[in-house]
């Protein structure tokens, strides 16, 4: 049992003794305040005289109260002191504060595993201004995480619930073991059928299992890292350009994706009709249809159905204007980056 719990039970026992002592003195003819005062002075053995003279029954009751109450008070005081000295109380208060903070999150990303891959994923999500919650079984990893966090085994449904999986937008399974990632994917998909799940695959053979378990994407960091190094070796300027527009916050131009809403101004219009490049100055790089097919440099007569995803290059002002075209009128500028669950899956 933790020190916090033992201290709480000891304090509760002390309060029970005070209540019983007060009730006993009331039965013996004391007023309520006098009874409480007599009980406290008796239990703490401060040596004050009795409020009223005691007969033999009162003396016997006082003896029993001293024997029970003093020991209980001493035990409770010792446990409270131990808890304070060991820092458990501060840790408990910090954990409660963290739980309240997690309880207020909505539409956040859960990062399971705060190793090298998980830390990199969390840092990128945070750099995009998105809320996130980190989950890891290692207390030391969690202690160093600068984000709201939960200590526990993510293969346990209760831990995922504590991380707010019911309100989450996406989950990243970045554990060190492929079997654990498969288990987390299965559990998360069972708890939230509509959740976007991105899973890490250490072995290439694990990608198919993760997809069957319910992951929307299975990523092999080693394979992707190797491809990036090959890209820098063969086409360094292209690779660096893509790296900069995707991750460099100091560059004004960015590539973003937008999901076309049902009631958006651009819904059911052609690429020529919305003419993004002429109207707002942004460049339409690609379109992904509802069926999942990519169209790079789409033709002017390409029809943009609702839930179509547009990949656009532009500066902040241009992307904001595109967001207006892609979002429902009621959303306005308060909308997020136009990335709904389906868009993230794409």
């Amino acid at each position: 049992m933790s020190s916090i719990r033992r201290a709480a039970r000891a304090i509760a026992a002390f309060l029970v003794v005070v209540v019983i002592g007060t009730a006993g003195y009331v039965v013996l003819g004391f007023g309520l305040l006098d009874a409480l005062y007599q009980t406290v002075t008796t239990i703490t053995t401060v040596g004050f005289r009795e409020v009223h003279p005691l007969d033999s029954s009162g003396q016997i009751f006082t003896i029993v109260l001293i024997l029970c109450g003093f020991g209980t008070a001493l035990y409770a005081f010792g446990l409270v002191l131990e808890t304070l000295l060991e820092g458990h109380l501060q840790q408990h208060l910090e954990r409660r504060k963290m739980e309240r903070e997690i309880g207020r999150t909505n539409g956040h990303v859960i990062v399971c595993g705060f190793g090298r891959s998980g830390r990199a994923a969390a840092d990128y999500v945070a750099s995009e201004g998105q809320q996130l919650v980190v989950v890891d079984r290692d207390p030391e990893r969690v202690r160093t995480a600068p984000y709201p966090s939960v200590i526990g085994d993510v293969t346990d449904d209760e831990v995922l619930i504590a991380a707010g999986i019911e309100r989450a937008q996406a989950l990243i399974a970045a554990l060190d073991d492929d079997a654990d990632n498969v288990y987390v994917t299965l559990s998360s998909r069972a708890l939230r059928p509509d959740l976007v799940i991105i899973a890490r695959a250490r072995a290439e053979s694990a990608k198919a299992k993760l997809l069957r378990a319910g992951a929307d994407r299975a990523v092999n960091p080693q394979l992707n890292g190797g491809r990036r190094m090959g890209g820098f070796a063969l086409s360094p300027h292209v690779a660096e350009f893509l790296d900069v527009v995707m991750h460099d916050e100091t560059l004004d131009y960015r590539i973003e994706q937008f999901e076309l809403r049902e009631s958006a101004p651009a819904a059911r219009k052609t690429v020529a009709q919305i003419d993004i490049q002429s109207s707002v100055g942004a460049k339409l790089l690609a379109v992904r249809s509802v069926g999942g097919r990519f169209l790079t440099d789409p033709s002017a007569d390409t029809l943009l159905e609702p839930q179509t995803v547009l990949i656009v290059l532009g500066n902040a002002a241009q992307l904001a204007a595109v967001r207006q075209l892609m979002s429902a009128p009621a959303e306005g500028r308060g909308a997020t980056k136009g990335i709904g669950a389906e868009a993230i899956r794409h």
Side-chain angles (χ1 to χ4, degrees), residues 137-338:
R137 69 182 66 170
D138 187 346
E140 184 60 26
R141 283 183 176 181
V142 172
R143 188 185 65 80
T144 60
Y147 312 112
S149 54
V150 175
I151 301 175
D153 188 347
V154 290
T155 59
D156 184 355
D157 288 355
E158 294 299 322
V159 174
L160 292 174
I161 293 172
I165 192 171
E166 295 99 337
R167 306 179 305 279
Q169 172 178 305
L171 180 141
I172 299 174
L175 301 174
D176 296 329
D177 186 74
D178 284 337
D180 287 342
N181 284 324
V182 170
Y183 198 98
V184 170
T185 301
L186 285 169
S187 299
S188 302
R189 183 59 69 208
L191 291 171
R192 276 283 307 280
D194 61 330
L195 183 68
V196 176
I197 301 175
I198 312 299
R200 173 191 181 185
R202 291 180 63 88
E204 190 65 19
S205 59
K207 292 181 68 174
K209 296 177 183 177
L210 287 164
L211 293 174
R212 286 199 300 269
D216 295 291
R217 287 285 182 273
V219 179
N220 186 323
Q222 290 80 11
L223 179 62
N224 289 352
R227 286 174 174 172
R228 284 190 65 194
M229 288 190 290
F232 275 108
L234 299 178
S235 305
H237 300 295
V238 174
E240 186 172 359
F241 171 75
L242 292 176
D243 216 27
V244 167
V245 296
M246 285 299 296
H247 306 297
D248 190 348
E249 296 180 4
T250 63
L251 185 70
D252 193 26
Y253 276 84
R254 301 294 297 266
I255 295 177
E256 285 191 16
Q257 62 182 32
F258 300 91
E259 181 184 3
L260 185 58
R261 306 295 184 181
E262 178 73 31
S263 56
R268 297 182 180 85
K269 293 183 179 179
T270 64
V271 170
Q273 286 176 312
I274 63 173
D275 197 6
I276 290 178
Q277 187 159 2
S278 298
S279 60
V280 301
K283 172 65 176 176
L284 178 61
L285 300 179
V287 170
R288 190 163 196 177
S289 65
V290 179
R293 189 166 64 95
F294 268 118
L295 299 175
T296 57
D297 194 18
S299 61
D301 60 349
T302 301
L303 184 63
L304 302 177
E305 296 286 353
Q307 297 184 354
T308 298
V309 177
L310 280 68
I311 312 297
V312 182
L313 170 67
N315 59 32
Q318 292 167 349
L319 295 175
V322 175
R323 192 173 302 121
Q324 291 272 344
L325 291 172
M326 299 299 107
S327 303
E331 295 178 5
R333 291 188 175 270
T336 60
K337 292 182 178 180

